[in-house]
Amino acid sequence: MAQMYFYYSAMNAGKSTTLLQSSFNYRERGMTPVIFTAAIDDRYGKGMVSSRIGLQEEAELFNASDDLYARLQDMNATQKVDCVLIDECQFLTKEQVYQLTEVVDKLNIPVLCYGLRSDFRGELFAGSRYLLAWADKLVELKTICHCGRKANMVIRQDASGKAIADGDQVEIGGNDRYVSVCRKHYKEALER
Ligand SMILES: Nc1ncnc2c1ncn2[C@@H]1O[C@H](COP(=O)(O)OP(=O)(O)O)[C@@H](O)[C@H]1O
Ligand SMILES: Cc1cn([C@H]2C[C@H](O)[C@@H](COP(=O)(O)O)O2)c(=O)[nH]c1=O
Ligand SMILES: [Zn+2]
């Protein structure tokens, strides 16, 4: 029986690296993984999953309007899909998380989702909310705060490095905009 996995963490914890490693594992066994990433995340060019350590691979793009069950059913009819790997899964809609559960339950293809649990305000992303509710396996990937504790929160910074409390949930960026920290240092940064 296939299962749905949600690998979640703060930023810079190795999610994309782990995804690319899984893809490599499938390929070296002669199997066919399909990688998806969010069209809105164009940091490394559209249609690429890239890790900060330098690995990269081409990926299919998803938009909020895509029916991922229909797309994967079509792909699987042409070439058997052995595994679906989704990067930036926090940007999935509720409907798309449901469609991915159908890929697992009806097509019997494992779906491995990698993404953030919460945003810079500490609120869940829509994709993460439903993955936390519906995935078979929840796996936390860990990174560390400057103090050495586990970093489970992400600060969004302005140009002067000050933590921002409000704004749109989605703003694409990297180490220049965001810093992963522990909860204690997240609170302290916002109180300053
Ligand atoms: N040159 C490097 N060599 C080894 N590790 C690196 C290098 N550059 C970045 N990293 C590590 O890679 C991890 C970030 O990987 P990435 O997959 O991009 O994270 P995420 O997708 O979770 O944001 C961090 O742990 C970082 O310390
Ligand atoms: C915290 C937070 C992040 N984002 C964006 C910033 C990046 O483009 C991605 C996460 O990238 P990762 O390094 O692959 O984890 O998400 C955002 O839009 N809003 C936020 O609050
Ligand atoms: Zn800390």
Side-chain angles (χ1 to χ4, degrees):
M1 272 285 286
Q3 294 199 316
M4 174 182 263
Y5 297 79
F6 180 28
Y7 293 89
Y8 65 90
S9 71
M11 286 178 69
N12 219 346
K15 296 184 295 297
S16 302
T17 309
T18 309
L19 180 155
L20 292 167
Q21 205 173 7
S22 284
S23 171
F24 188 88
N25 284 161
Y26 273 90
R27 282 191 206 291
E28 69 182 351
R29 285 166 179 75
M31 295 192 217
T32 306
V34 172
I35 302 178
F36 278 89
T37 193
I40 52 171
D41 193 344
D42 54 2
R43 278 176 292 169
Y44 306 99
K46 280 198 184 294
M48 294 300 280
V49 168
S50 300
S51 77
R52 289 173 174 80
I53 102 173
L55 303 171
Q56 58 175 27
E57 203 175 322
E58 282 182 15
E60 302 287 328
L61 293 174
F62 68 84
N63 283 301
S65 58
D66 286 334
D67 181 336
L68 295 177
Y69 179 72
R71 281 183 68 182
L72 282 157
Q73 197 177 27
D74 285 352
M75 284 182 195
N76 193 46
T78 315
Q79 155 77 61
K80 183 177 175 297
V81 173
D82 291 302
C83 168
V84 179
L85 302 164
I86 315 263
D87 205 11
E88 308 298 345
C89 64
Q90 69 272 11
F91 299 137
L92 294 167
T93 64
K94 176 183 180 180
E95 291 70 27
Q96 287 173 330
V97 177
Y98 188 82
Q99 290 155 12
L100 291 170
T101 67
E102 294 279 83
V103 170
V104 175
D105 298 336
K106 290 190 173 155
L107 304 180
N108 198 31
I109 302 172
V111 176
L112 284 60
C113 298
Y114 298 79
L116 301 175
R117 178 169 58 174
S118 54
D119 67 15
F120 72 107
R121 301 161 306 177
E123 303 287 343
L124 293 173
F125 286 91
S128 317
R129 173 184 296 275
Y130 293 100
L131 283 161
L132 286 170
W134 297 338
D136 298 293
K137 295 265 159 60
L138 304 176
V139 184
E140 185 172 25
L141 299 177
K142 296 181 183 70
T143 188
I144 50 168
C145 176
H146 57 81
C147 70
R149 289 192 190 87
K150 182 176 78 178
N152 49 6
M153 311 290 287
V154 184
I155 294 170
R156 180 184 284 169
Q157 296 180 325
D158 66 15
S160 65
K162 192 178 175 331
I164 297 172
D166 291 307
D168 291 342
Q169 183 176 55
V170 179
E171 203 170 295
I172 301 307
N175 297 350
D176 50 327
R177 260 335 236 127
Y178 293 98
V179 186
S180 294
V181 290
C182 69
R183 191 176 54 232
K184 177 172 184 273
H185 285 118
Y186 174 82
K187 289 179 191 164
E188 284 180 14
L190 283 174
E191 281 158 13
R192 252 183 244 134

Coordinates of all heavy atoms in Angstrom, one line a residue, residues 144-151 180-186 188, ligand 3:
I144 N 19.2 24.1 12.8 CA 19.4 24.7 14.1 C 19.4 26.3 14.1 O 19.9 26.9 13.1 CB 20.7 24.2 14.8 CG1 21.9 24.3 13.9 CG2 20.5 22.8 15.4 CD1 23.2 24.0 14.5
C145 N 19.0 26.8 15.2 CA 19.0 28.3 15.4 C 20.5 28.7 15.8 O 21.3 27.8 16.1 CB 18.1 28.6 16.6 SG 18.1 30.3 17.2
H146 N 20.8 30.0 15.7 CA 22.1 30.4 16.1 C 22.5 30.0 17.5 O 23.7 30.0 17.9 CB 22.3 31.9 15.9 CG 21.3 32.7 16.7 ND1 21.4 33.0 18.0 CD2 20.1 33.3 16.3 CE1 20.4 33.7 18.4 NE2 19.6 33.9 17.4
C147 N 21.5 29.7 18.4 CA 21.8 29.4 19.8 C 22.0 27.9 20.0 O 22.3 27.4 21.1 CB 20.6 29.8 20.7 SG 19.1 28.8 20.4
G148 N 21.8 27.1 18.9 CA 22.0 25.7 19.0 C 20.7 24.9 19.2 O 20.7 23.6 19.0
R149 N 19.6 25.5 19.6 CA 18.3 24.8 19.7 C 17.8 24.5 18.3 O 18.2 25.1 17.3 CB 17.3 25.7 20.4 CG 17.5 25.8 21.9 CD 16.2 26.4 22.5 NE 16.5 26.9 23.9 CZ 16.9 28.1 24.2 NH1 17.2 29.0 23.3 NH2 17.1 28.3 25.5
K150 N 16.8 23.6 18.3 CA 16.1 23.3 17.0 C 15.4 24.6 16.5 O 14.7 25.3 17.3 CB 15.1 22.2 17.2 CG 14.4 21.8 15.9 CD 13.5 20.7 16.1 CE 12.2 21.1 16.8 NZ 11.2 20.0 17.0
A151 N 15.6 24.9 15.2 CA 14.9 26.1 14.6 C 13.6 25.6 14.0 O 13.6 24.9 13.0 CB 15.8 26.7 13.6
S180 N 15.9 31.1 9.9 CA 15.2 30.1 10.7 C 15.8 30.2 12.1 O 17.0 30.2 12.3 CB 15.5 28.7 10.1 OG 14.8 28.6 8.9
V181 N 14.9 30.2 13.1 CA 15.3 30.3 14.5 C 14.4 29.5 15.4 O 13.4 29.0 15.0 CB 15.2 31.8 15.0 CG1 16.2 32.7 14.3 CG2 13.8 32.3 14.8
C182 N 14.9 29.3 16.7 CA 14.0 28.6 17.7 C 12.9 29.6 18.1 O 12.9 30.8 17.8 CB 14.9 28.2 18.9 SG 15.4 29.6 19.9
R183 N 11.9 29.0 18.8 CA 10.7 29.8 19.2 C 11.1 31.0 20.1 O 10.6 32.1 19.9 CB 9.7 28.9 19.9 CG 8.4 29.5 20.1 CD 7.4 28.5 20.6 NE 7.9 27.9 21.9 CZ 8.0 26.6 22.1 NH1 7.5 25.8 21.2 NH2 8.5 26.1 23.2
K184 N 12.1 30.7 21.0 CA 12.5 31.8 22.0 C 13.1 33.0 21.2 O 12.7 34.1 21.4 CB 13.5 31.2 22.9 CG 14.1 32.1 23.9 CD 15.0 31.3 24.9 CE 15.6 32.2 26.0 NZ 16.8 32.8 25.6
H185 N 14.0 32.7 20.2 CA 14.6 33.8 19.5 C 13.7 34.4 18.5 O 13.8 35.6 18.1 CB 15.9 33.3 18.9 CG 17.0 33.2 20.0 ND1 17.6 32.1 20.3 CD2 17.4 34.2 20.8 CE1 18.5 32.3 21.3 NE2 18.4 33.6 21.6
Y186 N 12.6 33.7 18.0 CA 11.6 34.2 17.2 C 10.8 35.3 18.0 O 10.7 36.4 17.5 CB 10.7 33.1 16.7 CG 9.5 33.6 15.9 CD1 9.6 33.8 14.6 CD2 8.2 33.7 16.6 CE1 8.4 34.2 13.9 CE2 7.1 34.2 15.9 CZ 7.2 34.4 14.5 OH 6.1 34.8 13.8
E188 N 11.8 36.9 20.7 CA 12.7 38.0 21.0 C 12.8 39.0 19.8 O 12.9 40.2 19.9 CB 14.0 37.5 21.5 CG 13.9 37.0 22.9 CD 15.3 36.5 23.4 OE1 16.3 36.8 22.8 OE2 15.2 35.8 24.5
Ligands
ZN3 ZN 17.6 30.2 19.4

